[in-house]
Amino acid sequence: MRMFTQDDGAPRALVLLPGAQMHPADVQRAGLPRQLAESGVTLDLYVPDLHLDPTGRFDALQYLEAEVLAELRARYAELWLGGISLGGLLALLYAQRRPQGLRGLCLLSPYAGSRLTTNAIQRAGGLDAWQPTPRQLGDGEFTLWHGLRQGQPDVPAFIGWGLADRFAGAMADVAQRLPQAHAVQVPQGHDWTAWLPLWSLFLHRLDAAGEGSG
């Protein structure tokens, strides 16, 4: 896990989960740590290398708790969890399962499931009418929507996406179901041209909140 420290002894930290086929070095090359340093926001940034893939999310959840968050929870007064694309899905699933101890979420274009998932829910009459099968509840994507229908996770959540993102509609639906969402959009698509300005907006909001309140 890479640590990008903006201020030694910072009282708060953000664990940012990269997307599929993305590693901590990619986050560094894209400039997120540099933007953090330039912002003046007091925040330690951690980026674990989870080797995310669509079939490994639940193993990743267990690893995230045991090897990453358990240690940091004891070290910081304020702990944020974030994610990019598929990392955003993982962050949401974790927060639905264990919101205790999380100050909030930073979701940059969070992947909300394939069209096979969202279309199945729509064919059932929409999210409120949908009755998940036991098999669906064993799938991470359906689990996400089942939790969202129940208003979970109920923690402060910065969620942003690009209006040209092919998954923009699903991300807007996610934002509507998050009880404490602060949703923002930028013109770009599903890539760093959107994630960099969204990251900057998150940092600005964190700075404006002082102690990081939602």
Side-chain angles (χ1 to χ4, degrees), residues 84-85 108-110 160-168 171 184-198:
I84 301 170
S85 190
L108 308 181
S109 302
W161 63 92
L163 292 173
D165 195 311
R166 62 190 182 280
F167 301 115
M171 293 171 193
V184 297
Q185 299 85 44
V186 293
Q188 295 86 358
H190 197 80
D191 53 35
W192 289 112
T193 64
W195 302 331
L196 283 170
L198 289 171

Side-chain angles (χ1 to χ4, degrees), residues 112-133:
S114 71
R115 286 188 171 83
L116 291 175
T117 299
T118 55
N119 287 346
I121 293 173
Q122 289 305 311
R123 286 196 303 270
L127 187 57
D128 292 315
W130 168 58
Q131 295 299 317
T133 66

